[in-house]
Structures are given as C-alpha cells and as structure tokens.
Amino acid sequence: MEKTICELFAGVGGFRLGFEKLNSGWETTWFSQWEPGAKTQWAHECYVSHFGDSKDLKGEFHTGEDISLMEKKHIPNHNLLVGGFPCQDYSVAHTLASSKGIEGKKGVLWWQIRDTIIAKEPSFCIFENVDRLLKSPASQRGRDFGIILACLAELNYSAEWRVVNAATYGASQRRRRTFIFAYKNSSNYGRKMGNTMPDKLIMSEGFMAKSFPIVAMDEMTSIELSKDIIDVSDNFSFPFKNAGYMTNSVVYTFNITEKEEQPILLKEILQSDVDKDFYISEEKMPKWVYLKGAKKIPRKSANGHEYIFSEGPVAFPDSWDRPGRTMLTSESTLNRSTHVVTDPGSGKLRILTPVEAERMQGFDDDWTNSGMPQRMRFFCMGNALVVPMVTRMGKVLDGIFAEEG
Ligand SMILES: C[S@@+](CC[C@H](N)C(=O)[O-])C[C@H]1O[C@@H](n2cnc3c(N)ncnc32)[C@H](O)[C@@H]1O
C-alpha cells in the first residue's frame, strides 16, 4: 500500500514532520491549514516554507483556505488521513440532509473530516484531540466521542483510542492528548484485529499498544452504540476510559497504566545567553507572583449567584527537573499557564524562548522562524502536537502498511 498522507488542520506540519523523520517513504499528497479570521496565515506560510504547496486534483492551490469550502472529491488520493482538530459541540440536528443524512453544527471540524473520509475512503486515519474529548460535553458526558465513533462505524471503520501523556513516552512535556486510530474493516489490519480479543488488542496486539506500550489495565466496560447518529446525539452518555476499541458499533474500554520511559527534563532543553527581553522585569514580577499563586476571589455569576472562585498555586518557577507542563497558545504572555524558568546562566527568572517552545514540542530548532512575529511562534507551538509521538505511531504504521500489500 502506498504510503500517502493527507494532513488536515495541518498547523505548522507536526504530523508531516513526524512521518518524514522516519525516512521510510511517507509522502504527503495534500494538506489544509487556514486560521479562521486571521489576515496573515502564518502557520500556512511556515508550512509551505518547509514543504512547499500542494495542488488538488484540478491542479489548483487551495491548501490555505477554509476546509469547509473545499470540494472533498478534489483532494488528492491518500491512504492515511491525519489531523488534529478541536473539541467542539458535535451534536447533530434532525433537519436537512448532508452527505449521509445528518446535519452537524456549522464550523464544527469533525464534519469536514467525515466528509473527507466519505469522499476519499482512506484505509487508515489518525486524529488528535484534547483529553477532555472523551468526557464532553459536561451535560452529556461522552456524547461527542460517541458521535465520532458512531460516524466511523457507519462508514465501516473500526477505531482504537488512547489518552497519551507525551512525557511518559520520553518527551519534554506533560501534554495529554487523545489519539484516535481508525481503519477500514476491510483492510488486512482490520481483518486481523477483528479476530483479536479486545483485551489482547489493548494490552499488546493493537496499534496503540505497539506505539505506546502499557503495563496494566483494569476491567473492561462495554456498550453498543446506536446505529442512528441522531439517537447517539440526543441520548448517548458513557464514561469512556483512557483506552479503548470500537468495532461493529460495540465499544470496549479500559483504564490502562502507561509504561514509563525516561522523559526529557526542562533543564535539558534550555538555551543559554538568551536575550534580555525574555527576562521578567522587576516591574512585572508582582503580577506574575499573583497569577501563579493560590487565590480565593468572590465572584458573581451571570444569574446573580455569588460564589468564591479558588485556585491553587502553580510551580513558580517551573521545576528544571521535570518535563514542562502543557503548552498553550498563550505561552509567553503574562499568564498563569506560561512557563517561567530560572535561567541556567544568570539564575534569574525568565519565560521560554521560541526555540525552547519548539524543543518542548519536539520540532527542530527554529522551525517557526519563517518570518512570523515572535508571539505567533508561541501560538503555533501551543496549537501543535508532540512530534516524536507521531514518529512512534509512524513506525508501527510502517509495519501495518507493509502487510496491506
Ligand atoms: C490543533 S491545530 C493542529 C496543529 C498541527 N497538528 C501542528 O502540528 O501544528 C488545528 C489547526 O486547524 C486550523 N483550522 C481551524 N479551522 C480550520 C478550517 N476551517 N480550515 C482549515 N484549517 C483550520 C487552525 O488554524 C489550527 O492550525
């Protein structure tokens, strides 16, 4: 099977870079990256500066446009569809017919992925989302992930998922993300897994177990999804655990314990002799101390209800001897979640440099040094994924693709 990839919601190309690092013949035939509302498309420009642009099947360039405007049948053929997409409200309405008779909310990117699967029928897919996807929305826990699985089942795909903490698998960031691996039931891999017991698949035989080994799992819980996606949207709720498998609309889920590898520590990615602009000024210090500290603040909700908002302290500065926390798009701004480190040379407190942010995500140094403002470099890194996690999955896919013939 040709190792061809389509990368949706490509950002600065974390998936593509992760596969290219394998040097095992992966070729990205098309990608899409468009930041809603942004005048300058920095991420798209950065992506193109590394990999060049890609034509669609009509010979036109549409990679830097809203994916919802793209006629999906014009996307070049590929056997692997990848993409990191946001956790949104995936509920569907009863009205109107889309390609398969359901209507999701406008602007919800899962429907763009589904339309691409319907048009291009890739044999394999890897998606990335935040860990809370499995529990969303708060009012109907598990509904949104249930809808994703029900859509995949309807299109004759099975799926495995795992919540992966990148630091456990050797990275320099405690970033927890849900990875979903979907595959056609008719693929060789699909047939093989169809003959494998769910507990064995999760423990050792499946794609996720091979990419991210585990040491233990709890008792399985299981549920059958309705074949009617509107019914799932209206009524489904289920406590998904951090690992699982869905085939023929039946969900099997387990809480697993990850097999720990030595992470990269924050001190190992710090640069020396950084510009003085990264240092925290005396003037701003009290604000940083306040934001990072514990607090209890009386607040009033929209309906007039008074309550005490409270939050504990965060490490200030961040420990050198641990991997970093999850990097957000607000990284580097005066913000509680921005990393603050003790500079190894001067012993003074400072924020991270863009290169340190890139290292924390496993990108090459200066990956985003493509002409975008510094603030956008942090923004793009906050949006990105931990590249070595993709490379690990790619290695396992090398074997799976070899067996597809
Ligand atoms: C979570 S990020 C994925 C980042 C990527 N994995 C990386 O390594 O940089 C999602 C991306 O989807 C893009 N996006 C959002 N809406 C889009 C749309 N309608 N069409 C195309 N891209 C979109 C965002 O600009 C963002 O870069």
Side-chain angles (χ1 to χ4, degrees):
M1 181 174 279
E2 275 186 18
K3 290 170 157 181
T4 44
I5 305 179
C6 171
E7 183 178 22
L8 299 184
F9 316 111
V12 294
F15 267 110
R16 184 156 178 177
L17 179 62
F19 277 97
E20 300 218 341
K21 284 206 177 282
L22 283 165
N23 257 322
S24 58
W26 291 96
E27 186 207 344
T28 300
T29 58
W30 197 71
F31 70 95
S32 162
Q33 165 53 37
W34 176 75
E35 179 67 28
K39 221 160 147 200
T40 312
Q41 293 292 327
W42 297 114
H44 184 265
E45 282 185 17
C46 175
Y47 190 106
V48 171
S49 77
H50 289 287
F51 302 115
D53 209 341
S54 308
K55 284 183 187 161
D56 63 19
L57 290 179
K58 288 199 306 179
E60 295 174 4
F61 291 105
H62 292 293
T63 57
E65 296 165 18
D66 182 352
I67 185 67
S68 64
L69 304 176
M70 180 72 186
E71 183 71 69
K72 304 297 183 293
K73 65 174 194 273
H74 295 147
I75 294 178
N77 298 342
H78 51 272
N79 291 315
L80 174 65
L81 177 66
V82 300
F85 63 110
C87 182
Q88 293 171 296
D89 178 338
Y90 302 135
S91 62
V92 285
H94 295 262
T95 50
L96 298 175
S98 72
S99 39
K100 278 246 175 175
I102 52 169
E103 185 83 9
K105 288 196 166 66
K106 241 186 120 192
V108 174
L109 301 178
W110 166 248
W111 306 112
Q112 299 304 318
I113 294 180
R114 179 173 172 271
D115 287 348
T116 307
I117 297 175
I118 291 170
K120 303 306 301 183
E121 300 183 353
S123 293
F124 297 94
C125 309
I126 301 179
F127 305 123
E128 184 234 12
N129 206 304
V130 292
D131 55 352
R132 73 166 191 284
L133 167 71
L134 301 183
K135 298 189 164 64
S136 295
S139 58
Q140 194 184 337
R141 295 247 178 244
R143 178 201 69 190
D144 288 338
F145 190 51
I147 290 173
I148 289 179
L149 293 179
C151 289
L152 290 169
E154 186 186 41
L155 302 175
N156 295 314
Y157 285 74
S158 295
E160 291 179 34
W161 76 87
R162 267 285 286 285
V163 176
V164 173
N165 180 350
T168 311
Y169 294 103
S172 53
Q173 189 185 165
R174 287 170 272 152
R175 192 181 189 89
R176 298 166 71 85
R177 286 293 182 265
T178 307
F179 285 105
I180 304 162
F181 176 58
Y183 48 90
K184 271 187 184 166
N185 293 331
S186 58
S187 63
N188 287 345
Y189 180 80
R191 278 198 292 270
K192 190 169 150 195
M193 289 303 124
N195 292 322
T196 307
M197 296 303 284
D199 54 347
K200 219 171 151 197
L201 183 152
I202 297 292
M203 189 69 210
S204 56
E205 300 305 299
F207 172 81
M208 289 298 170
K210 295 216 187 294
S211 304
F212 306 107
I214 64 174
V215 289
M217 60 201 274
D218 72 352
E219 290 280 299
M220 177 177 88
T221 46
S222 182
I223 192 168
E224 181 158 3
L225 293 161
S226 166
K227 303 247 179 342
D228 175 0
I229 292 171
I230 289 169
D231 182 23
V232 176
S233 177
D234 288 348
N235 303 311
F236 181 81
S237 181
F238 183 67
F240 286 107
K241 299 182 182 179
N242 62 16
Y245 165 55
M246 180 285 299
T247 190
N248 295 318
S249 298
V250 183
V251 171
Y252 308 90
T253 188
F254 305 80
N255 274 324
I256 58 87
T257 309
E258 298 176 317
K259 184 174 178 196
E260 285 193 33
E261 296 172 20
Q262 179 62 37
I264 298 171
L265 308 177
L266 211 38
K267 64 182 171 203
E268 297 175 74
I269 63 161
L270 296 184
Q271 293 185 292
S272 48
D273 297 328
V274 312
D275 197 282
K276 64 176 184 340
D277 290 349
F278 295 104
Y279 283 95
I280 289 179
S281 65
E282 268 180 42
E283 184 201 340
K284 296 239 170 86
M285 188 60 84
K287 186 85 186 158
W288 281 103
V289 171
Y290 171 76
L291 287 170
K292 296 277 187 179
K295 46 189 101 54
K296 283 189 165 52
I297 311 165
R299 280 194 184 160
K300 214 182 225 176
S301 66
N303 62 10
H305 170 72
E306 289 185 11
Y307 65 101
I308 303 285
F309 167 81
S310 68
E311 60 186 8
V314 286
F316 183 65
D318 284 274
S319 169
W320 272 4
D321 293 317
R322 296 189 73 183
R325 292 170 291 105
T326 303
M327 195 187 311
L328 306 180
T329 50
S330 57
E331 184 69 38
S332 87
T333 63
L334 183 48
N335 194 297
R336 181 175 157 85
S337 54
T338 285
H339 292 80
V340 172
V341 293
T342 306
D343 184 81
S346 67
K348 290 188 182 146
L349 295 189
R350 64 167 176 84
I351 59 170
L352 298 179
T353 65
V355 165
E356 289 164 347
E358 286 158 351
R359 289 178 181 176
M360 208 188 264
Q361 287 283 43
F363 280 79
D364 299 344
D365 284 5
D366 279 322
W367 186 261
T368 54
N369 196 6
S370 55
M372 71 176 91
Q374 183 166 286
R375 174 80 269 286
M376 291 312 298
R377 294 184 66 182
F378 288 105
F379 181 87
C380 286
M381 279 300 109
N383 248 342
L385 40 58
V386 183
V387 173
M389 299 301 110
V390 177
T391 307
R392 290 178 81 109
M393 292 188 279
K395 208 177 251 176
V396 178
L397 269 181
D398 274 341
I400 291 176
F401 269 57
E403 287 184 12
E404 291 299 320

